Amino acid sequence: MEDLEMSIEFVSGGGVALLYATRVFRNLQPENEDQKRGVEIVSNALKAPAYTIAVNAGADGALVLDKLLEQDDRNLGYDAAKVEYVDMVKAGIIDPVKVIQTALQDAASISALLTTTEAAVTDAQREENPLKKSNV
């Protein structure tokens, strides 16, 4: 992993690097319902940053995600400031790999903690997860 960190310092920003990472789940065959649910949770979590940026810019988040996932350019993303699709790297919209790696490790650590906790207090669940509208 250290070699990867040294060779790649940044990835396309705006959440698109995480969004495109969900493509690995397309051919994944979970062995049971628990694994299937786990894949769904991780996939939705990886889509959340790009979705949230699009929604906060006034766009239809599910539509933006679908448009990005239906094409093959890993640098194409949604520039919320210009309200257009751009090459994120050329536009200077990038995320440091170390920040992404740390966020994912922290999220995994917290989820592992919650799975071993006997009780937790949370907010009431919303009616529907808006990320389920996106096709992946």
Side-chain angles (χ1 to χ4, degrees):
M1 189 68 166
E2 289 181 24
D3 292 338
L4 178 64
E5 288 178 35
M6 293 174 71
S7 65
I8 301 173
E9 295 180 14
F10 63 87
V11 292
S12 297
V16 296
L18 295 172
L19 175 66
Y20 295 141
T22 64
R23 289 178 172 164
V24 300
F25 298 130
R26 288 180 178 168
N27 298 323
L28 189 64
Q29 299 295 323
E31 294 180 15
N32 56 49
E33 284 301 312
D34 288 341
Q35 289 179 358
K36 182 178 177 183
R37 181 71 178 131
V39 167
E40 184 179 307
I41 289 168
V42 172
S43 180
N44 286 342
L46 292 173
K47 292 177 190 176
Y51 178 87
T52 303
I53 289 169
V55 169
N56 287 344
D60 180 339
L63 186 66
V64 170
L65 265 55
D66 286 343
K67 181 172 176 68
L68 292 173
L69 288 171
E70 71 185 12
Q71 56 81 45
D72 293 325
D73 182 358
R74 293 185 301 166
N75 289 331
L76 185 69
Y78 185 73
D79 184 341
K82 294 182 181 177
V83 191
E84 64 183 10
Y85 296 92
V86 298
D87 182 309
M88 301 298 266
V89 174
K90 288 181 182 175
I93 304 170
I94 57 174
D95 290 331
V97 169
K98 189 66 174 176
V99 171
I100 300 290
Q101 178 185 0
T102 302
L104 292 173
Q105 287 173 334
D106 290 350
S109 176
I110 291 168
S111 66
L113 176 69
L114 288 174
T115 58
T116 59
T117 301
E118 291 187 28
V121 177
T122 64
D123 293 331
Q125 187 174 2
R126 288 189 236 156
E127 294 176 18
E128 183 180 332
N129 183 344
L131 292 174
K132 288 190 177 184
K133 295 178 186 174
S134 177
N135 297 326
V136 173

